[in-house]
Amino acid sequence: MNVLLLAWKIKLPPMMEIITAEQLMEYLGDYILDAKPKEISEIQRLNYEQNMSDAMAILHKLQTGLDVNVKFTGVRVFEYTPECIVFDLLDIPLYHGWLVDPQVADIVKAVGNCSYNQLVEKIISCKQSDNSELVSEGFVAEQFLNNTATQLTYHGLCELTSAVQEGELCVFFRNNHFSTMTKYKGQLYLLVTDQGFLTEEKVVWESLHNVDGDGNFCDSEFHLRPPSDPETVYRGQQDQIDQDYLMALSLQQEQQNQEINWEQIPEGLSDLELAKKLQEEEDRRASQYYQEQEQAAAQVQQVQGAASPASARQSGSNERKRKEPREKEREKEKNSCVLL
């Protein structure tokens, strides 16, 4: 959506600052329908309509995350998944920078043409092998993943800089996050969307010039613009990391809740009895879910307040007191996002 907005392909009403995820999906769905090519052959039309149908079927996943599996041989090489159709349909380039340096022969051999998921499976298989050569190969592959945990290598960064066109608006995938990326005067920039920068109106872009994420902040004209309060920005970034962690737990729990064990339900139950059984199971899992959420939140508070135990205890006490009044507010925050 940020790419489409910056390219003026989608326009939001003036003065709009808050928008729900459902509204974003409506704008995106309308654009996909309107972007249908006019003068194409019958075969091309059928192919486009099939792709559009597949894209609409997975559109709801955009609110939580897409299944993207990188390959280490090129900045635009991904394992094909149905979710990739969305990028093709919208004509938005998708890049990553997690590449193997072709000059390091042993890593090239160990990684090969594997995707990330395939490489993880290969490492596990090699470790269990009796062949010393395979064991060594698995060790080299594992070291590569450990040494490039930032999911960006200098070789990948060089390839990115060469592949992205000047002024191009695209999407950059790294560490399970999608960022809006562009190139200005030969330098790559990522759109700043962390919550910590919400009040930093002049901070718009961050340069991508090394693998450690230590970029320079710039305004909309790509002029250097350091944050007015670095400490506030840091706390905001930490809040964003904590929210990502809690969201991951929530998605995992939601998936577990959908997996009802039908084998444990006795046969011959009436519809009413079956409904009661299912409701009891849902209530139990809901209770377990909220307990895990509270434990996760408590762990985050302990990490943040390690230097001040008294403050952490007070914060936990206050959290319990205002738990009930904030339930609706939490639901609102979950379904809303801010466009920067």
Side-chain angles (χ1 to χ4, degrees):
M1 281 299 295
N2 281 329
V3 169
L4 295 173
L5 287 166
L6 290 172
W8 294 98
K9 294 181 178 180
I10 290 181
K11 296 181 181 180
L12 299 181
M15 306 304 293
M16 175 179 280
E17 295 182 354
I18 305 296
I19 186 169
T20 65
E22 288 77 10
Q23 288 174 314
L24 279 179
M25 294 303 102
E26 290 177 5
Y27 277 103
L28 191 58
D30 291 342
Y31 177 78
I32 291 177
L33 293 174
D34 293 339
K36 180 180 178 180
K38 301 297 186 292
E39 299 180 0
I40 54 177
S41 66
E42 182 66 16
I43 296 179
Q44 289 175 324
R45 183 184 66 80
L46 293 174
N47 184 53
Y48 183 88
E49 289 180 352
Q50 181 61 52
N51 289 340
M52 186 167 62
S53 176
D54 294 340
M56 289 296 187
I58 59 96
L59 210 59
H60 66 281
K61 292 184 179 181
L62 290 173
Q63 301 183 46
T64 53
L66 291 181
D67 180 18
V68 172
N69 190 20
V70 306
K71 289 192 173 184
F72 307 96
T73 54
V75 293
R76 296 203 62 180
V77 183
F78 295 83
E79 181 184 36
Y80 181 80
T81 58
E83 288 82 351
C84 292
I85 295 175
V86 177
F87 293 95
D88 294 338
L89 206 59
L90 297 172
D91 194 25
I92 295 178
L94 177 63
Y95 293 92
H96 74 91
W98 200 0
L99 301 187
V100 171
D101 189 336
Q103 296 182 350
V104 186
D106 58 338
I107 299 180
V108 172
K109 179 182 177 182
V111 175
N113 194 40
C114 292
S115 66
Y116 172 77
N117 291 341
Q118 292 171 339
L119 188 60
V120 171
E121 294 175 358
K122 178 180 179 179
I123 291 172
I124 296 174
S125 176
C126 288
K127 282 186 173 182
Q128 298 173 347
S129 175
D130 295 330
N131 187 322
S132 59
E133 184 176 346
L134 287 178
V135 172
S136 176
E137 195 170 298
F139 175 76
V140 171
E142 185 176 34
Q143 284 295 107
F144 167 73
L145 292 183
N146 292 335
N147 294 337
T148 59
T150 61
Q151 297 188 7
L152 178 65
T153 63
Y154 279 106
H155 173 67
L157 187 57
C158 291
E159 290 294 307
L160 270 176
T161 305
S162 300
V164 178
Q165 302 299 310
E166 182 73 15
E168 179 181 9
L169 287 169
C170 53
V171 173
F172 176 58
F173 177 78
R174 181 185 183 187
N175 290 331
N176 296 327
H177 279 73
F178 295 89
S179 303
T180 302
M181 183 168 65
T182 191
K183 185 177 181 181
Y184 179 76
K185 292 185 177 180
Q187 174 65 55
L188 297 176
Y189 292 90
L190 302 179
L191 187 67
V192 175
T193 57
D194 283 343
Q195 184 177 348
F197 295 90
L198 185 59
T199 59
E200 296 284 340
E201 297 181 358
K202 298 298 183 181
V203 176
V204 180
W205 299 98
E206 180 180 7
S207 62
L208 179 65
H209 59 263
N210 61 43
V211 301
D212 299 321
D214 184 20
N216 298 319
F217 297 109
C218 303
D219 59 17
S220 59
E221 302 296 327
F222 299 97
H223 299 144
L224 286 177
R225 183 73 66 170
S228 57
D229 186 356
E231 183 60 28
T232 300
V233 171
Y234 172 77
R235 288 197 299 269
Q237 289 174 320
Q238 289 301 115
D239 290 342
Q240 186 72 44
I241 293 172
D242 298 339
Q243 287 184 9
D244 291 342
Y245 173 66
L246 292 176
M247 176 61 76
L249 284 181
S250 174
L251 294 175
Q252 182 180 8
Q253 186 63 36
E254 181 180 338
Q255 182 179 9
Q256 293 174 354
N257 288 345
Q258 295 173 354
E259 299 171 356
I260 298 177
N261 191 349
W262 295 97
E263 297 178 356
Q264 296 180 357
I265 298 179
E267 297 182 1
L269 290 179
S270 66
D271 291 344
L272 179 60
E273 291 172 330
L274 178 59
K276 288 182 178 180
K277 285 283 185 183
L278 293 177
Q279 186 60 52
E280 290 174 0
E281 179 66 14
E282 285 298 313
D283 291 343
R284 182 187 67 80
R285 287 179 171 175
S287 175
Q288 180 182 356
Y289 165 73
Y290 285 115
Q291 289 177 1
E292 292 179 354
Q293 287 286 71
E294 289 178 354
Q295 291 174 0
Q299 291 175 359
V300 170
Q301 290 179 353
Q302 288 175 2
V303 172
Q304 293 178 337
S308 179
S311 174
R313 287 195 296 270
Q314 183 65 29
S315 174
S317 175
N318 293 338
E319 184 65 27
R320 287 192 294 272
K321 291 178 182 178
R322 62 174 182 264
K323 174 185 174 184
E324 293 183 2
R326 285 183 58 83
E327 288 297 328
K328 292 184 178 180
E329 185 177 342
R330 287 177 181 169
E331 187 65 26
K332 180 180 178 182
E333 291 175 355
K334 181 179 178 182
N335 293 327
S336 302
C337 57
V338 179
L339 286 181
L340 296 176

